[in-house]
Amino acid sequence: MEILYAFLLGFFLLLVIYLFYNHKSSGNANLPPGKTGFPVIGETLEFLYAGWKGHSEKFISDRVAKYSSNVFKTSLFGSPSVVFCGVNGHRFLFSNENKLVRVWFPRSINKIFRQSTETFSTEEAINARKHIRTLIKPEGLQSHIGLMDTFAHCHFVNYWENKDIVLVFPLVKHFTFLLACRLLMSVEDPNLVAILENAVKFVLKGAFSVPIDLPGTPLNHAMKASSFIQKELLVIIKQRKIELAKGMTSPTQDILSHMLSTSDDNGSFMDEVDIANKMFGLLVGSHDNIASVCTSIVKYLAELPEIYQEVCQEQQEIAKSKAPGELLNWEDIQKMKYSWNVACEVMRLTPPSQFAFREALTDFTYNGFSIPKGWKLYWTPQSTHSNHELFPEPHKFDPSRFEGSGPPPYAYVPFGGGPRMCPGKEFARLEILVFMHHLVKRFRWEKQIPDEKIVYIPIASPEKGLPIRLFPHKA
């Protein structure tokens, strides 16, 4: 009887919330078309399920077709939301950053990364972002190409050569994490790297989970992993401060040293906790998305032998031009034009992330519809990447789309756009091209699961990890 009473009480509370929410929403008759789904959870499960099943674009395309509108309302991650689609939607959101809209993350992300929507768009956070962007500009990254080349060589020797079959996604994630630890904070101790890498796996699993912090839930595991990582980062930061004070290391050694040594326009330095937070975000963001792209490149090159052959020819010519032991340099990277066009087409067809959020800072009107203050705003690369008007035959793999001036503005957005365009875009380009260079100059390969799906949990990844059979090039 008590269980039945508890169930009825819970149902009644959900009904009250639902009716209140619908009443509040219907108070503005000029909202975009759409539905808000179930009480509290809205359409979140349907949205996530589409990604889990390998059809992430279907959630958007079905509603655009149903409502004949490039903007529609829904409810995602516990909040009333409006989805902006197409070039105009991207242009509007990117152009109004910190004016009409600001970045927003689901509650699970805020709990894990200890960032809130109230602090993420403050002047301090904006200055920190400018600081990070300054550190990873192309001219600053050029000095890291040799290190990337060395790491890639060691990775392929240790994990790919003399192997018959390899599982691509885990291997590439390990490579990008190793490189991130080295380039961001000069950490090479294999035991420490392994500990951090294992903890990051829990973080990613809980990033877009149900926001319930109870023992055993993905969010709870992710929050514990987050605390552990940040404590480890604080130890690294404190030790680095000592080394810098004693002149044992250079302020330009890596991004961590630069953060500790560089003040803002007011002469203030970032405190240790803030640096740990920023390093945590960089550590996660600078390896997982790149691993997703590199894995997708392996997939498409296996499926498209004519594309593989052109990439291989370009990379083999560069390899032949190098003296024994000579490392890749900036001039070599600039010669990889076709390879980068291929990588861009991969990111068009399979963007590593399927969505990003903003929040309305005030009431405003878009496309004749009223958007209330506080509502969450969602955009997705796939709303333009799959548009046949922007990309003729959108499902065809065609690297020539990126020749010349490339796609129209706001059509191709794997790195976002506007003030919040990913600051690590050039870092990603270098790492992806170095990976491609070492991959194709050594092997051709075949997929072991021909129809393996790409799913989003939360980033694009092959359902079974992409096992491939390797065929080394003859000497």
Side-chain angles (χ1 to χ4, degrees):
M1 191 68 179
E2 290 180 359
I3 295 175
L4 178 61
Y5 175 77
F7 173 79
L8 291 174
L9 179 61
F11 179 79
F12 175 75
L13 289 173
L14 285 176
L15 184 61
V16 168
I17 294 171
Y18 179 66
L19 292 174
F20 171 77
Y21 171 69
N22 265 6
H23 172 73
K24 185 178 179 182
S25 297
S26 61
N28 189 336
N30 203 32
L31 289 171
K35 63 178 183 177
T36 54
F38 293 104
V40 183
I41 63 173
E43 295 189 295
T44 304
L45 294 181
E46 191 173 352
F47 166 74
L48 292 175
Y49 183 75
W52 296 337
K53 297 301 288 184
H55 304 291
S56 59
E57 74 289 344
K58 187 172 172 55
F59 180 88
I60 304 297
S61 60
D62 285 355
R63 285 155 181 77
V64 169
K66 181 177 180 179
Y67 304 120
S68 300
S69 174
N70 275 330
V71 56
F72 60 86
K73 72 180 179 186
T74 180
S75 177
L76 298 173
F77 301 103
S79 300
S81 308
V82 176
V83 179
F84 286 70
C85 303
V87 165
N88 290 335
H90 292 163
R91 180 186 291 111
F92 180 86
L93 293 179
F94 299 159
S95 301
N96 285 287
E97 191 74 49
N98 298 319
K99 300 173 187 175
L100 298 179
V101 307
R102 65 177 174 183
V103 70
W104 176 83
F105 294 107
R107 189 181 308 165
S108 55
I109 294 287
N110 287 330
K111 285 180 173 290
I112 293 168
F113 287 89
R114 299 177 184 175
Q115 295 268 24
S116 70
T117 53
E118 285 73 30
T119 61
F120 204 92
S121 296
T122 62
E123 185 177 351
E124 179 185 355
I126 294 170
N127 286 336
R129 190 173 178 83
K130 290 179 181 177
H131 180 74
I132 293 169
R133 186 178 280 112
T134 300
L135 298 179
I136 51 180
K137 289 193 297 187
E139 53 268 30
L141 286 172
Q142 291 181 26
S143 61
H144 296 310
I145 295 172
L147 180 62
M148 290 183 177
D149 189 19
T150 301
F151 262 70
H153 172 79
C154 293
H155 170 75
F156 278 94
V157 168
N158 292 330
Y159 296 102
W160 295 66
E161 290 186 359
N162 301 314
K163 302 290 192 303
D164 185 26
I165 294 176
V166 297
L167 199 58
V168 175
F169 191 46
L171 281 185
V172 178
K173 284 179 69 174
H174 182 59
F175 165 66
T176 57
F177 191 80
L178 280 171
L179 195 53
C181 286
R182 174 59 183 84
L183 289 174
L184 294 176
M185 50 191 181
S186 300
V187 169
E188 297 186 69
D189 177 5
N191 293 326
L192 178 56
V193 170
I195 290 170
L196 292 173
E197 186 176 12
N198 185 62
V200 165
K201 292 177 184 177
F202 287 101
V203 168
L204 294 170
K205 287 179 181 177
F208 288 95
S209 62
V210 178
I212 298 176
D213 179 19
L214 293 175
T217 62
L219 178 59
N220 183 261
H221 285 310
M223 291 174 65
K224 288 180 179 177
S226 171
S227 296
F228 173 79
I229 292 169
Q230 299 215 33
K231 287 178 182 176
E232 291 294 322
L233 291 176
L234 281 171
V235 172
I236 295 169
I237 290 166
K238 290 179 185 296
Q239 179 60 35
R240 180 63 61 82
K241 286 184 75 173
I242 294 172
E243 294 170 356
L244 285 167
K246 293 182 177 180
M248 298 168 60
T249 189
S250 166
T252 60
Q253 174 178 316
D254 51 32
I255 288 180
L256 175 56
S257 284
H258 202 125
M259 281 186 174
L260 285 166
S261 305
T262 307
S263 62
D264 61 20
D265 295 339
N266 300 318
S268 301
F269 291 85
M270 295 170 66
D271 63 46
E272 294 177 1
V273 173
D274 195 26
I275 290 176
N277 193 285
K278 298 295 184 295
M279 293 300 297
F280 179 31
L282 285 171
L283 195 61
V284 174
S286 64
H287 95 280
D288 220 51
N289 283 344
I290 296 175
S292 172
V293 175
C294 289
T295 302
S296 293
I297 287 170
V298 176
K299 167 190 176 295
Y300 282 105
L301 290 184
E303 296 169 349
L304 302 164
E306 69 282 3
I307 302 294
Y308 165 85
Q309 192 57 43
E310 288 200 49
V311 172
C312 186
Q313 181 177 342
E314 180 177 78
Q315 297 295 345
Q316 291 286 12
E317 288 177 1
I318 293 170
K320 290 174 183 176
S321 71
K322 310 299 288 183
E326 184 183 359
L327 299 175
L328 291 173
N329 56 40
W330 182 248
E331 288 70 30
D332 298 321
I333 296 295
Q334 299 310 104
K335 294 176 184 176
M336 301 180 187
K337 289 183 172 61
Y338 183 79
S339 297
W340 183 240
N341 288 346
V342 168
C344 288
E345 181 69 342
V346 167
M347 288 185 280
R348 183 188 70 82
L349 288 166
T350 309
S353 179
Q354 63 173 325
F355 56 80
F357 283 103
R358 299 293 187 268
E359 180 182 50
L361 286 169
T362 185
D363 295 342
F364 63 84
T365 301
Y366 175 78
N367 239 29
F369 298 111
S370 296
I371 312 297
K373 177 182 178 180
W375 276 44
K376 312 314 173 195
L377 317 172
Y378 164 92
W379 68 271
T380 169
Q382 288 160 326
S383 77
T384 53
H385 289 193
S386 300
N387 187 312
H388 67 90
E389 294 179 358
L390 300 169
F391 298 98
E393 297 184 84
H395 300 296
K396 178 183 177 181
F397 194 98
D398 182 6
S400 69
R401 303 180 198 273
F402 297 91
E403 295 175 356
S405 58
Y410 302 103
Y412 179 69
V413 289
F415 297 100
R420 291 201 60 79
M421 178 179 282
C422 175
K425 177 182 177 181
E426 190 62 24
F427 176 92
R429 185 176 85 95
L430 296 181
E431 191 168 341
I432 290 166
L433 288 174
V434 170
F435 174 84
M436 291 177 74
H437 175 78
H438 281 269
L439 175 69
V440 301
K441 81 173 186 178
R442 285 176 164 83
F443 309 107
R444 62 179 182 85
W445 57 92
E446 293 178 351
K447 291 169 59 179
Q448 295 301 285
I449 307 174
D451 57 350
E452 185 176 7
K453 291 188 298 187
I454 296 291
V455 297
Y456 282 84
I457 44 175
I459 65 166
S461 54
E463 191 174 31
K464 304 294 183 181
L466 192 60
I468 61 171
R469 183 179 297 277
L470 296 172
F471 299 95
H473 293 308
K474 295 179 180 179

